Amino acid sequence: MTVGTNSSPGAATAAGSPVPGAVGGREVRPVGDELAGVPSQAPPPYAARTGRPADRADGARADVVVPPVPPVPQVPPVPAAGTRRPVPPQAGPPPSEAIAAVPGGGNPVEGLGFGIDPDSLPDGLVVADDTGQVICFNAAAARITALAPEQALGARIDLALPLEDLEGRRWWALTDPYGGLATRRGQPERNLLLPGGREVLVSASYVRTHPTGPVRRLVVTLRGTEARRRTERSHAELIATVAHELRSPLTSVKGFTATLLAKWERFTDDQKRLMLETVDADANRVTRLIAELLDISRIDSGRLEVRRQPVDIATAVGRHVQALTANGQAPERFLVSVSRPLPDLWADPDKIDQILGNLLENAVRHGDGTVTIAVAPHEKGTAVTVTDEGPGIPEESMGRVFTRFWRGSKRGGTGLGLYIVKGIVEAHGGTITVGRGPGGGAEFRFILPVSAPAYLTQ
């Protein structure tokens, strides 16, 4: 059997000029490959064995034709557990061109994907190009260096930032970012000096097109040292306070125990009891100081745990007043006022005792006259107010009452009690305030909200 042909125009090719990829003089068009973007090639072997005729686009009939085969989608393999899925590369400028912006003009930093304005960054940002000229000088850098951006832009970076180390050596001459080792990627943060002796924290990053290529961008960040200085000063004060507070009771404990061991037979029973009571009191003082330090550590790190249980706040206040009167305070000095009915209070009993103990001890030690403790219901929970009739707290010191080491007078104390009280109240979700009482003394008021027990909140 012969294969018939159609004489329609454009259907036949010149004699003796076979078309590549044709079977029996008929052109086979691999449609699937053309759709997939691959140049036309000879059909696969199985195409010659397909015997289903189909209409061609030019009206001709073909006995053999390859039906369109859609491209098979490539499914990426599923990564194994614990592996990270690779991120496809994104089109964009090279890393060396990622930072190029002029501050003050509202142009975002390009290449970061978020449209970040350099002036919105909290730290100072200074960027120099491959010639060492400043092309970015944000508002924080202007504030730290006291140099206007228009004076720095276009200038050489060693002139815009004439930095020196603490020994007076020029920092740019020491680091040499453009002419130094090609393997360096930057400089770690260190303390440097600006003109006039102002200290700043400086770090630098070298942006290269390839690991050992020339520096295309020099990125310098600046930070002030005020926050670090405050932290260091606070730590130094804490160490000094702890050393001072520990020295006195430990000296007493050591002295009395050494005396008793060396001359036990020479003392009467009353003298021995007095010495042992003093040792016990000093040991309790050391224990209390260590507990305060642990509380400060937990408050600062946000790890202060609160185990909520039902607490009778009025009973707790009465128990503390009885303890103070048993230690020598006059009973008529305390006035307790309880407004009932009180809402149910779920709180940590030990922490509540710590709050009441600190506030009442401050009122007795630093205040005068009658100490009033008022317990009343509040729209948010339970409010407790402790008021004395002493000189009170000056207005200029109101904002520092709940900070570390604040002392209202020179009558002793570590200055840590009110800081801990504030942390405990806030850990319960409450608030504490300080003000002036009706009699002119100090007034502390804390509010504990209505809450659920621990087993319902965990």
Side-chain angles (χ1 to χ4, degrees):
M1 182 179 69
T2 61
V3 180
T5 61
N6 194 315
S7 59
S8 301
T13 59
S17 302
V19 178
V23 178
R26 299 294 180 265
E27 179 184 2
V28 181
R29 307 172 68 181
V31 182
D33 288 343
E34 291 177 353
L35 291 179
V38 182
S40 299
Q41 300 174 353
Y46 69 86
R49 297 192 296 270
T50 58
R52 294 182 300 170
D55 292 332
R56 289 198 345 204
D58 55 1
R61 300 276 302 178
D63 292 338
V64 180
V65 68
V66 179
V69 180
V72 179
Q74 298 295 327
V75 180
V78 179
T83 61
R84 302 180 63 182
R85 185 182 299 273
V87 181
Q90 301 290 335
S96 60
E97 303 295 335
I99 302 177
V102 177
N107 296 327
V109 176
E110 300 176 358
L112 297 181
F114 300 100
I116 300 176
D117 189 346
D119 289 341
S120 64
L121 298 177
D123 295 336
L125 176 65
V126 182
V127 182
D129 60 9
D130 54 354
T131 63
Q133 290 186 341
V134 177
I135 60 175
C136 179
F137 199 87
N138 70 345
R143 183 183 67 253
I144 294 173
T145 62
L147 181 66
E150 53 270 14
Q151 296 177 347
L153 291 173
R156 289 174 49 188
I157 192 168
D158 58 339
L159 299 179
L161 291 177
L163 298 169
E164 297 181 353
D165 62 11
L166 301 181
E167 298 179 1
R169 297 174 295 183
R170 299 296 297 269
W171 190 61
W172 297 112
L174 294 175
T175 58
D176 192 13
Y178 293 96
L181 294 176
T183 57
R184 288 182 179 174
R185 303 179 60 183
Q187 295 292 332
E189 187 178 68
R190 63 187 64 189
N191 289 11
L192 298 176
L193 300 176
L194 289 169
R198 185 176 182 183
E199 190 172 354
V200 292
L201 299 173
V202 182
S203 61
S205 178
Y206 304 158
V207 181
R208 308 175 188 270
T209 53
H210 51 89
T212 59
V215 175
R216 294 294 305 277
R217 290 289 185 269
L218 175 61
V219 183
V220 180
T221 58
L222 307 173
R223 290 197 302 154
T225 59
E226 292 80 7
R228 178 174 293 186
R229 292 298 184 190
R230 287 194 298 268
T231 303
E232 292 176 352
R233 186 164 52 251
S234 176
H235 290 168
E237 291 177 354
L238 179 61
I239 293 174
T241 301
V242 171
H244 174 74
E245 293 295 328
L246 288 176
R247 181 186 303 171
S248 178
L250 290 180
T251 301
S252 174
V253 169
K254 178 62 177 176
F256 280 116
T257 54
T259 301
L260 288 174
L261 290 174
K263 303 177 180 180
W264 178 267
E265 296 82 3
R266 299 185 182 182
F267 297 105
T268 63
D269 292 342
D270 292 339
Q271 291 174 333
K272 295 176 182 178
R273 176 179 295 275
L274 178 61
M275 291 183 182
L276 292 176
E277 288 176 350
T278 305
V279 169
D280 182 68
D282 289 334
N284 290 336
R285 182 178 170 184
V286 173
T287 303
R288 185 169 61 251
L289 178 60
I290 294 175
E292 289 179 349
L293 294 176
L294 292 175
D295 288 336
I296 289 177
S297 175
R298 297 188 184 102
I299 291 172
D300 290 343
S301 60
R303 296 184 292 105
L304 184 64
E305 295 183 0
V306 176
R307 311 296 295 182
R308 299 182 186 275
Q309 302 176 23
V311 174
D312 188 345
I313 190 69
T315 302
V317 170
R319 185 171 61 253
H320 280 273
V321 170
Q322 291 178 358
L324 290 172
T325 56
N327 289 334
Q329 296 294 329
E332 58 271 12
R333 188 178 179 185
F334 300 95
L335 176 62
V336 179
S337 173
V338 180
S339 300
R340 299 184 183 276
L342 295 174
D344 294 337
L345 177 61
W346 290 82
D348 192 318
D350 295 335
K351 299 294 189 294
I352 296 300
D353 286 339
Q354 197 170 355
I355 294 173
L356 294 174
N358 272 287
L359 294 181
L360 292 177
E361 183 179 355
N362 283 340
V364 171
R365 178 181 297 176
H366 305 290
D368 296 324
T370 302
V371 177
T372 303
I373 306 100
V375 183
H378 190 268
E379 59 182 3
K380 295 182 179 179
T382 304
V384 180
T385 306
V386 179
T387 309
D388 62 69
E389 297 178 349
I393 301 173
E395 293 292 338
E396 61 272 13
S397 300
M398 289 289 186
R400 298 186 292 109
V401 169
F402 297 108
T403 59
R404 294 181 184 180
F405 310 115
W406 182 85
R407 295 180 177 88
S409 65
K410 298 181 180 180
R411 299 183 182 179
T414 61
L416 301 175
L418 293 178
Y419 177 81
I420 296 174
V421 165
K422 183 175 183 292
I424 294 175
V425 171
E426 292 179 348
H428 281 82
T431 58
I432 185 169
T433 57
V434 60
R436 188 171 294 275
E443 179 181 275
F444 290 90
R445 188 187 194 199
F446 66 93
I447 301 172
L448 298 177
V450 177
S451 58
Y455 64 86
L456 293 180
T457 58
Q458 295 180 353

